[in-house]
Amino acid sequence: MTSPQSRSGKRDEILAAATERFGRDGYEDTKWADIAADVGVGPTALYHYFESKQHCLYVIMDQAIEGFRSRFEALTTDGADPLERLVAVIDDCFELSEADIQRNRVLVAEQGLLSARSDSPREEQARQAARARTRDLEFAWASFLSHAMQQGAIPKHDPRLLTRAILGLYNSIWHWYRPNGIVALNRIAEFFTDRSLALMGVAPEALDRPRAAA
């Protein structure tokens, strides 16, 4: 009999393999059997862990959003200056492993699938979880930006619209960025951080931040 620890480890292995495949080759072009081969099991064995390829996708997306939300909360709950915390959050968005990058690519590329209901109870549960986390992340960002406005750290705007503008700008990176591409991630981080701060009405030079090397 498979132990709970072994089962959990194999599930994580499947998620990691699926994330790499979906991020590199695309969700539609990845076969369920490809993922099975990557983790050394038969295709039918995957159904012990996930009801379908789409169920696996929803779990990956849910994990990606949960990771953003957890890091955001950890960086914004202390008593530091709102602007310092905001910069820390933006910096953290680019402190990514290759697995993180592939997961972001999957999340952005397939986010539209979260709008379609599923007839499968397990798929629908995973889809609803990912949608709920998306709303929670947007609410957390908007609440934090509203507080920063009240503290005078950034100019006053509609915090919900500003949240969507910032997250939309960030998400746009993962439509085209590839790990080990011709543009280094630190250069991309500098470029998009400056534009994100500009959206919030903060001049990048006011922060006296070191610039990335070319």
Side-chain angles (χ1 to χ4, degrees):
M1 181 180 293
T2 303
S3 69
Q5 292 85 355
S6 176
R7 181 178 173 84
S8 175
K10 180 58 70 173
R11 185 176 186 270
D12 291 342
E13 190 179 346
I14 294 167
L15 286 169
T19 299
E20 174 63 23
R21 283 278 185 175
F22 295 163
R24 186 187 67 215
D25 304 331
Y27 170 72
E28 292 295 339
D29 291 333
T30 297
K31 295 180 175 61
W32 205 211
D34 295 334
I35 298 169
D38 287 343
V39 297
V41 300
T44 57
L46 295 181
Y47 293 101
H48 294 297
Y49 303 91
F50 300 99
E51 193 161 285
S52 64
K53 186 176 77 164
Q54 186 153 311
H55 179 209
C56 181
L57 172 69
Y58 287 152
V59 173
I60 291 169
M61 297 170 81
D62 183 36
Q63 289 185 343
I65 302 164
E66 194 278 333
F68 277 122
R69 179 68 179 88
S70 296
R71 296 197 304 274
F72 182 89
E73 183 175 3
L75 291 167
T76 58
T77 53
D78 62 28
D81 175 79
L83 189 55
E84 291 179 5
R85 285 183 285 167
L86 184 58
V87 171
V89 167
I90 296 174
D91 286 345
D92 180 71
C93 287
F94 294 96
E95 294 294 327
L96 304 171
S97 66
E98 287 196 14
D100 293 329
I101 291 169
Q102 296 291 27
R103 195 164 63 171
N104 286 353
R105 286 175 48 75
V106 173
L107 176 62
V108 170
E110 308 302 337
Q111 200 158 24
L113 293 178
L114 293 177
S115 63
R117 293 185 62 86
S118 172
D119 293 331
S120 160
R122 291 178 69 194
E123 281 185 13
E124 182 61 15
Q125 182 181 21
R127 184 187 77 88
Q128 291 284 3
R131 282 172 59 88
R133 288 196 196 278
T134 299
R135 292 191 294 268
D136 182 53
L137 177 62
E138 289 185 356
F139 179 79
W141 260 95
S143 297
F144 176 71
L145 291 175
S146 178
H147 176 71
M149 292 171 194
Q150 293 170 7
Q151 297 295 310
I154 60 176
K156 289 187 177 181
H157 300 285
D158 183 323
R160 291 171 300 178
L161 291 179
L162 186 56
T163 290
R164 289 170 181 171
I166 293 168
L167 295 181
L169 181 63
Y170 178 72
N171 287 342
S172 70
I173 298 169
W174 313 116
H175 283 294
W176 56 268
Y177 178 76
R178 302 289 191 280
N180 303 314
I182 60 173
V183 183
L185 187 58
N186 66 331
R187 296 293 294 173
I188 295 169
E190 180 182 286
F191 182 90
F192 279 85
T193 295
D194 286 354
R195 273 74 194 167
S196 296
L197 292 170
L199 276 173
M200 290 178 271
V202 177
E205 58 271 17
L207 300 176
D208 192 28
R209 293 161 59 85
R211 313 304 288 176

